Amino acid sequence: DYLFSTTKPEICFKNAWLSGFFEGDAGFWIQSKDLVRVNKDNSQSYNIRMKFYITQKNEKELLNQIKQLFQIPSNIYQKEIPNGHSNEKYNRLETSLLKSHLLLIEYLTKYPFLGKRHICFHRWKRVLGYRTKDYPITKKSIIKLQRLILNTK
């Protein structure tokens, strides 16, 4: 006999429930073109675009709770995703906001992924370091960053 809980999970930073949820229904995205930009003062900096996203067929209220918890300013939108024989509409929440990414890293450091997404997350986190730290821009560092981005997808 199996007992299924009918209570809704508490969406908070105090338990690992979201980590398990993200393991199955979330992902990481990094844009890998034009990694270095020239600033107005002719200095160079890394130009990295990153997103964290969650896709759900329903559960818009749950996505709203996650949006509030991680301080994500963007709206939840519907996206058609092919499932083999038709296009289904799914709700999608995504953020490219650094503040939300840092909250996510703090949470997933405390409650880490236990499956395959663990490796992807750590690579994504390393790429985020190029946005938050002042790494030197060299040919070697650009090649390393490109390889890291390709392995994160």
Side-chain angles (χ1 to χ4, degrees):
D1 287 332
Y2 293 100
L3 295 176
F4 294 98
S5 174
T6 56
T7 59
K8 292 190 176 193
E10 182 183 1
I11 308 303
C12 65
F13 291 128
K14 297 177 187 173
N15 62 47
W17 187 87
L18 277 173
S19 180
F21 178 74
F22 291 163
E23 179 90 43
D25 294 316
F28 305 97
W29 174 88
I30 305 170
Q31 183 175 2
S32 59
K33 68 175 195 170
D34 302 324
L35 282 178
V36 178
R37 71 170 170 251
V38 178
N39 301 316
K40 290 179 181 179
D41 64 356
N42 283 334
S43 65
Q44 291 182 324
S45 61
Y46 287 105
N47 182 33
I48 302 168
R49 295 185 57 213
M50 302 175 71
K51 287 183 188 174
F52 169 72
Y53 61 88
I54 310 159
T55 307
Q56 280 287 291
K57 186 166 184 179
N58 297 309
E59 303 295 341
K60 193 168 184 178
E61 179 55 37
L62 174 64
L63 292 178
N64 272 315
Q65 291 176 26
I66 293 168
K67 175 182 171 168
Q68 289 176 355
L69 186 66
F70 287 94
Q71 302 174 26
I72 299 172
S74 57
N75 292 323
I76 297 166
Y77 66 94
Q78 286 202 323
K79 180 178 177 119
E80 283 192 14
I81 300 175
N83 65 3
H85 55 280
S86 68
N87 285 343
E88 292 279 337
K89 285 194 176 187
Y90 288 83
N91 292 314
R92 182 138 191 186
L93 174 63
E94 56 186 45
T95 182
S96 56
L97 187 68
L98 181 61
K99 182 178 182 179
S100 298
H101 292 174
L102 294 174
L103 285 170
L104 180 69
I105 286 172
E106 186 178 328
Y107 174 78
L108 289 173
T109 299
K110 186 173 182 179
Y111 301 105
F113 289 133
L114 301 177
K116 289 187 255 180
R117 201 163 311 273
H118 177 78
I119 295 168
C120 183
F121 168 69
H122 278 283
R123 289 177 178 153
W124 186 82
K125 185 170 117 176
R126 284 177 55 200
V127 172
L128 191 70
Y130 284 82
R131 288 179 62 197
T132 60
K133 297 179 175 107
D134 193 21
Y135 291 139
I137 298 174
T138 64
K139 187 174 183 176
K140 185 177 179 179
S141 68
I142 292 169
I143 291 168
K144 181 179 176 182
L145 180 57
Q146 287 172 327
R147 188 175 57 240
L148 190 56
I149 289 171
L150 285 174
N151 289 328
T152 302
K153 295 180 181 182

